[in-house]
Amino acid sequence: WYQRRVRIIGASVQLSLIQKLSPKVVIIEEAAEVLESCLVAVLSKSVQKLIMIGDHKQLRPQVDTYYLRKEHNFHISMMERLIRLNFPYKSLVKQGRMRTEFSKMLKDIYPDYDNFDGLDAKNEQLKCIKDSMYFWSHEYPENKDRSVKNEREAHMVVFTCIIFSFQVEYKKKTLRFSAGYLGQVQFRFVIMALLNLIYLIK
């Protein structure tokens, strides 16, 4: 028994190496974001079982060519396509990461989703603000290149982190922010470096 962990793109261009390894089981993480053409390329003759792990209701594979998306459905992964064809699959029905008020917002997408017992007690609500969730609406336009970013929004989030960093009951290293696009995350780090905040929130 042995295992190898490789990136799907690297595996697809090193097919001769994959064939030499002769894997019997292939596990694909984030399978719903993998191009089907790349996935098929790594399935050598030795493969007996393919396990795809992912969420077909979230991000799809990145395809820059509009024609390939529109006319040939390149943006639909093998995982999503098989599920659409009623191929049997299993879904998680319980989550242990979000407070109840967060997970309730996913009911339209995941109607059978439930929480593990005692989750809210484990994830204590912040004391410095009234509610656990806020929606901050604005009309600042996005800049889109290879990845989406919104400079004004990034400033808003960074300065919110400053406010939280001065709350004495929270350690600076517990502050985290996330974004759906790599470009937005990278831009926020640029702002933080310019403001010398990297040392402030550690």
Side-chain angles (χ1 to χ4, degrees), residues 8-162:
I8 192 73
I9 298 298
S12 64
V13 298
Q14 296 289 340
L15 186 56
S16 59
L17 177 60
I18 299 296
Q19 291 174 340
K20 289 180 180 180
L21 292 173
S22 299
K24 294 183 178 180
V25 179
V26 173
I27 302 175
I28 307 294
E29 292 182 292
E30 301 295 349
E33 298 182 45
V34 177
L35 287 169
E36 184 168 359
S37 55
C38 294
L39 179 55
V40 171
V42 303
L43 300 180
S44 62
K45 294 181 179 179
S46 63
V47 175
Q48 299 177 8
K49 179 177 289 188
L50 172 64
I51 301 173
M52 292 185 284
I53 304 172
D55 190 344
H56 65 287
K57 296 181 180 180
Q58 294 193 28
L59 292 177
R60 284 174 163 173
Q62 180 67 39
V63 179
D64 294 329
T65 305
Y66 177 79
Y67 174 76
L68 293 177
R69 294 198 309 268
K70 185 68 176 179
E71 301 297 330
H72 298 286
N73 295 321
F74 262 50
H75 65 300
I76 297 177
S77 64
M78 178 189 290
M79 181 179 190
E80 181 178 352
R81 184 171 61 82
L82 290 175
I83 291 174
R84 284 185 176 188
L85 294 173
N86 297 318
F87 196 84
Y89 69 98
K90 296 291 184 179
S91 292
L92 297 177
V93 294
K94 281 196 173 185
Q95 67 89 24
R97 302 170 68 180
M98 298 175 282
R99 288 179 56 84
T100 302
E101 57 265 40
F102 298 153
S103 62
K104 281 182 178 179
M105 299 193 64
L106 302 176
K107 286 293 186 180
D108 289 343
I109 305 174
Y110 310 103
D112 299 325
Y113 226 27
D114 200 1
N115 306 302
F116 284 109
D117 295 334
L119 183 61
D120 287 349
K122 179 181 178 182
N123 295 333
E124 183 181 354
Q125 184 173 340
L126 295 177
K127 298 177 181 178
C128 60
I129 54 176
K130 180 180 179 181
D131 300 308
S132 297
M133 180 188 305
Y134 289 89
F135 290 92
W136 196 349
S137 179
H138 65 79
E139 297 181 356
Y140 302 128
E142 295 177 335
N143 302 321
K144 186 173 183 180
D145 189 14
R146 288 287 296 178
S147 182
V148 176
K149 67 180 179 180
N150 189 307
E151 297 181 5
R152 293 294 296 273
E153 184 179 289
H155 281 93
M156 292 160 60
V157 172
V158 168
F159 282 105
T160 301
C161 285
I162 295 176

Side-chain angles (χ1 to χ4, degrees), residues 185-199:
V185 174
Q186 291 174 337
F187 186 73
R188 288 178 187 173
F189 274 116
V190 170
I191 299 172
M192 292 166 66
L194 292 175
L195 296 176
N196 202 24
L197 289 176
I198 294 296
Y199 301 100

Side-chain angles (χ1 to χ4, degrees), residues 150-183:
N150 189 307
E151 297 181 5
R152 293 294 296 273
E153 184 179 289
H155 281 93
M156 292 160 60
V157 172
V158 168
F159 282 105
T160 301
C161 285
I162 295 176
I163 295 172
F164 278 111
S165 70
F166 287 106
Q167 301 297 320
V168 295
E169 66 266 33
Y170 301 110
K171 296 179 180 179
K172 305 299 186 296
K173 64 182 180 180
T174 62
L175 290 175
R176 297 289 185 272
F177 60 74
S178 61
Y181 299 98
L182 178 61

